Amino acid sequence: MRIRTVSAAVATAALFGSVVLATVPAAADTSVPISVDDVIDTVVDGAHQHLYISGDSVISVADHTGKVVTTLTGLSGVSDLQLSPDGSTLYAAVTRADKIVAFDTATLTQTAEYPTGNGTAPRRIALTEGRIWFGYGDQWESGLGEVDLTADPATVTLDLAGDHDFASTPMLYADPANPDTLVALDGGISSGPIVVYDVSSGTPVIRVTANEGGFYRDGALTPDGQSIVVAGPGNRAVTEYRLSDLQEVREYPVKDEPETVSVAPDGTVAATALDTENTGDTYVFPGGATDPASVRNLSDAWMPWGGHSTAWSADGTKLFVLTGSSGYMQFHTVAEPRKYVTKLTANAPATATRAKTLTVKGTLAAGLTPPAGTLLNVVRTDMLSPSGKSLGTRALGANGAFSFTDAPPAGGTVRYTVTYAGDAAHTPASASDTVAVSRATPALTLTNNGKVYGYGKKVVFTAHLGTTYSNRTVEIRADPYGADKPKKMLKTGKVDSHGNLSATVTMSRDTAVTAVFKGDSRYGARTVKSSAYAHVKIASSLSKYYRTGKIGSTRYAYFHKKTDAVLTTTMTYYKGRKERLDLQVYSKGKWYTTDSEYFSLGTSGKCIVNLGNPGTSGVRARVRAAYIDPSSGDNVNTTTYGAWSYFYFTN
């Protein structure tokens, strides 16, 4: 089934509507998934805003948004569809059930069925007044049959092909505008002709036949019923033939193998092509065959073949196209199919100097390029105009090219957006490109880099910002070492009259402090960092000594020679941290290290270690705890040595 002619009043309304639509913003094309597995034929029911889509054993009933509202099932091998001239009945050829069925389009219930004979396998149907013509059979067993609806009951007649022996099931076309004519395409063989029958008597009589290359993929009658537009064969153009003598009237060129064709009520031809190179699959010829096609690329894959998957809306204002394959079908609505799709490009230099002239170039392309002098709108977006500043219009030059100059007042990323508003024949388009415009580098410093502080020291970090244009705000952020502490914003604000901004950090661990200037329209962003380091807190004490006393100027803890010395240490805790104990013994006027060993801290930071005893008197020793970065298990603090604890063993 193909879209049939409508009344002159409706056709005029459709044309008038297209003029009105040109005065408002262009409607957007849409593409949505549709829950159909295959497409054999597509018919549009304008009265009920339905599309009937046949595939395998189901007729899917979709609305104009592509939503399947219901399905008509149990139709084994349903293929061709036809809508009665008054739109009240949908006819379907049910190939594997050897019958043609009828549905009421208002209720979507089956109202009749017409068995065509065992093994006939009807595939193609067409309607003339009171008759359903059907193509049946397979290969050289194919034929032309008729269901006479004027008889009661309806009668079926086979073998009506006349003097032509069909090599494949004939593809049939008829139109109320030319009620005595039936057209058959013998599409399954290279020598298959187009056959035009006179059916005025009720019995088909061949009026004219001509071999136009065979292997026809699809066809559609013109609204006056006097010509047929054929897709195929092979890589030929979509071609229109006059039915009176089958002489070629005109060609509608497509780049690749044509697959489907559909003709709108006003005669506008639409076609799809296989599109093996993914350059454009849907062609509309708004100016007829003499003007270029408006080409859209609706699918990245090859277009489906073997089914009629393209249809105009009943009023001819929209084009419906189904693409994809089983499980991945898409329903496309081309909202303004007669408009040429425009593509706009804009190319700016990658880099530029602020306040110096740069040039932006581009092209506006379409199947039918808008004329020189067509105006394009230009907008510059930058730090001074984040919402965009209009630079006025620029005129399109020859061959769709344009260029303009500008001296950007702001540095940073500058975007130029060029917009074409569209017109009655062209869709709108927009394109943009960015330029990295240079900015001066501001002076920015931060104090205390590399300095080491005692645990808990409150340290003031001061950022100093040099000359800038409009932005005097600086952020100071702290990033304490260790995964357990998040980054922290210390202060953000404007620097003082000397260019300074300060923030305080309590140094409980090593900390990276950064000062951030985010830039302005003339000076670039800059970040500087100071890494400052913090000691841990260490406290140690000996126990089990019996007294203290001085040896020289140093105070010792005195232990009996067989009493173990016990050292208790408290150190700033961090998960997995260990302390190192260094043990030294005094001999002949010098201290000698006898042991250095790591011990894990408890969660409180405390560690108690039994140092043992020498068993002899006269031994002088000392011990200290230390945090060694990173040997103590982490790098959160800087290396810190605790004070020595001195002890002496006596009798």
Side-chain angles (χ1 to χ4, degrees):
M1 158 65 182
R2 313 298 175 250
I3 295 297
R4 304 305 178 193
T5 188
V6 294
S7 69
V10 174
T12 303
L15 291 171
F16 178 75
S18 67
V19 175
V20 174
L21 287 173
T23 66
V24 299
D29 295 347
T30 60
S31 178
V32 296
I34 184 170
S35 54
V36 298
D37 290 331
D38 197 9
V39 179
I40 303 300
D41 198 8
T42 305
V43 172
V44 173
D45 177 357
H48 301 98
Q49 296 290 290
H50 284 158
L51 281 84
Y52 305 111
I53 304 166
S54 63
D56 194 21
S57 298
V58 173
I59 298 175
S60 299
V61 183
D63 62 20
H64 281 193
T65 69
K67 179 182 178 181
V68 175
V69 295
T70 191
T71 55
L72 309 178
T73 60
L75 305 170
S76 182
V78 63
S79 54
D80 230 15
L81 305 176
Q82 262 283 11
L83 199 63
S84 63
D86 64 3
S88 64
T89 304
L90 174 70
Y91 295 96
V94 187
T95 304
R96 292 197 292 269
D98 298 324
K99 63 183 178 181
I100 297 168
V101 297
F103 294 91
D104 185 311
T105 55
T107 63
L108 297 177
T109 57
Q110 183 174 323
T111 56
E113 66 175 50
Y114 308 100
T116 56
N118 187 38
T120 52
R123 283 187 176 84
R124 302 285 188 165
I125 56 176
L127 301 180
T128 60
E129 187 171 353
R131 288 176 171 81
I132 306 172
W133 302 97
F134 61 93
Y136 64 90
D138 187 28
Q139 297 186 11
W140 293 102
E141 300 300 321
S142 301
L144 175 64
E146 171 202 49
V147 178
D148 185 355
L149 301 177
T150 64
D152 188 16
T155 59
V156 174
T157 306
L158 302 177
D159 299 323
L160 296 175
D163 293 335
H164 181 67
D165 187 10
F166 283 100
S168 60
T169 306
M171 304 157 66
L172 302 179
Y173 303 89
D175 197 293
N178 191 2
D180 296 335
T181 300
L182 176 69
V183 184
L185 305 181
D186 196 352
I189 191 171
S190 61
S191 59
I194 300 175
V195 182
V196 180
Y197 289 97
D198 184 332
V199 294
S200 58
S201 67
T203 300
V205 176
I206 295 177
R207 182 185 298 156
V208 61
T209 180
N211 179 6
E212 302 295 353
F215 291 130
Y216 314 109
R217 307 293 294 178
D218 197 11
L221 295 178
T222 56
D224 59 5
Q226 299 301 311
S227 295
I228 187 167
V229 184
V230 176
N235 288 319
R236 285 187 55 181
V238 173
T239 310
E240 180 180 339
Y241 298 99
R242 188 169 51 237
L243 297 185
S244 60
D245 55 10
L246 290 180
Q247 291 299 301
E248 181 177 311
V249 178
R250 57 185 63 88
E251 289 187 348
Y252 296 88
V254 297
K255 184 178 180 180
D256 201 357
E257 179 179 331
E259 295 296 331
T260 67
V261 62
S262 187
V263 181
D266 66 352
T268 303
V269 172
T272 62
L274 192 59
D275 193 25
T276 56
E277 297 179 2
N278 196 29
T279 57
D281 50 44
T282 302
Y283 292 71
V284 177
F285 295 87
T290 57
D291 287 341
S294 175
V295 183
R296 289 167 170 81
N297 196 29
L298 301 184
S299 172
D300 290 334
W302 290 7
M303 290 295 278
W305 61 86
H308 181 73
S309 55
T310 306
W312 289 90
S313 62
D315 62 4
T317 60
K318 295 181 175 64
L319 184 67
F320 305 115
V321 183
L322 287 101
T323 67
S325 56
S326 178
Y328 301 95
M329 297 294 295
Q330 290 286 122
F331 180 89
H332 307 270
T333 301
V334 181
E336 293 180 312
R338 291 171 184 80
K339 286 192 174 185
Y340 288 92
V341 178
T342 56
K343 182 179 180 182
L344 192 62
T345 63
N347 296 291
T351 59
T353 302
R354 191 191 66 80
K356 299 295 184 181
T357 299
L358 58 81
T359 301
V360 179
K361 300 179 179 180
T363 58
L364 179 63
L368 183 66
T369 304
T374 297
L375 296 180
L376 308 174
N377 293 302
V378 179
V379 172
R380 181 185 63 224
T381 305
D382 55 23
M383 295 185 71
L384 292 177
S385 304
S387 299
K389 176 181 176 61
S390 174
L391 301 184
T393 59
R394 301 293 188 273
L396 193 66
N399 301 317
F402 69 87
S403 68
F404 61 87
T405 60
D406 185 48
T413 299
V414 178
R415 179 178 295 275
Y416 291 94
T417 301
V418 183
T419 303
Y420 168 59
D423 58 24
H426 297 87
T427 62
S430 182
S432 65
D433 199 9
T434 58
V435 185
V437 178
S438 62
R439 290 184 286 175
T441 301
L444 183 64
T445 59
L446 185 63
T447 58
N448 302 328
N449 185 45
K451 293 184 178 180
V452 180
Y453 298 96
Y455 181 85
K457 175 72 174 178
K458 293 184 181 298
V459 178
V460 176
F461 290 79
T462 299
H464 176 76
L465 179 65
T467 301
T468 60
Y469 177 60
S470 60
N471 182 15
R472 300 297 291 165
T473 297
V474 171
E475 297 175 355
I476 301 179
R477 306 169 183 171
D479 184 8
Y481 280 36
D484 61 325
K485 293 288 186 181
K487 296 178 181 179
K488 182 180 180 182
M489 177 70 75
L490 298 178
K491 183 179 284 189
T492 180
K494 291 184 177 180
V495 297
D496 62 21
S497 59
H498 302 290
N500 296 328
L501 182 72
S502 298
T504 301
V505 177
T506 300
M507 297 297 296
S508 61
R509 59 177 68 190
D510 298 349
T511 304
V513 180
T514 56
V516 179
F517 171 66
K518 292 187 175 180
D520 57 29
S521 62
R522 296 187 182 180
Y523 286 81
R526 189 172 179 191
T527 298
V528 295
K529 182 172 74 171
S530 287
S531 294
Y533 306 97
H535 287 299
V536 298
K537 181 188 283 187
I538 301 176
S540 297
S541 63
L542 291 166
S543 59
K544 294 194 176 181
Y545 56 88
Y546 64 90
R547 71 177 182 87
T548 64
K550 283 188 175 182
I551 301 177
S553 61
T554 303
R555 181 167 294 279
Y556 283 76
Y558 281 72
F559 290 84
H560 293 296
K561 63 183 180 182
K562 292 187 178 180
T563 300
D564 292 344
V566 176
L567 181 71
T568 300
T569 303
T570 302
M571 182 181 291
T572 307
Y573 177 75
Y574 185 78
K575 185 178 181 181
R577 178 170 289 180
K578 299 177 181 179
E579 68 170 0
R580 192 183 78 184
L581 293 186
D582 298 329
L583 181 63
Q584 294 183 344
V585 174
Y586 189 80
S587 175
K588 297 179 181 181
K590 295 178 66 175
W591 289 100
Y592 295 91
T593 298
T594 61
D595 197 8
S596 187
E597 189 174 345
Y598 285 89
F599 298 90
S600 296
L601 299 179
T603 55
S604 64
K606 183 177 288 189
C607 182
I608 301 173
V609 178
N610 188 330
L611 302 176
N613 67 82
T616 61
S617 62
V619 176
R620 291 163 61 183
R622 66 181 184 179
V623 66
R624 69 178 178 186
Y627 165 81
I628 308 299
D629 176 13
S631 300
S632 286
D634 62 79
N635 67 340
V636 170
N637 291 86
T638 195
T639 296
T640 309
Y641 294 95
W644 289 105
S645 295
Y646 292 83
F647 53 107
Y648 179 59
F649 290 93
T650 68
N651 287 322

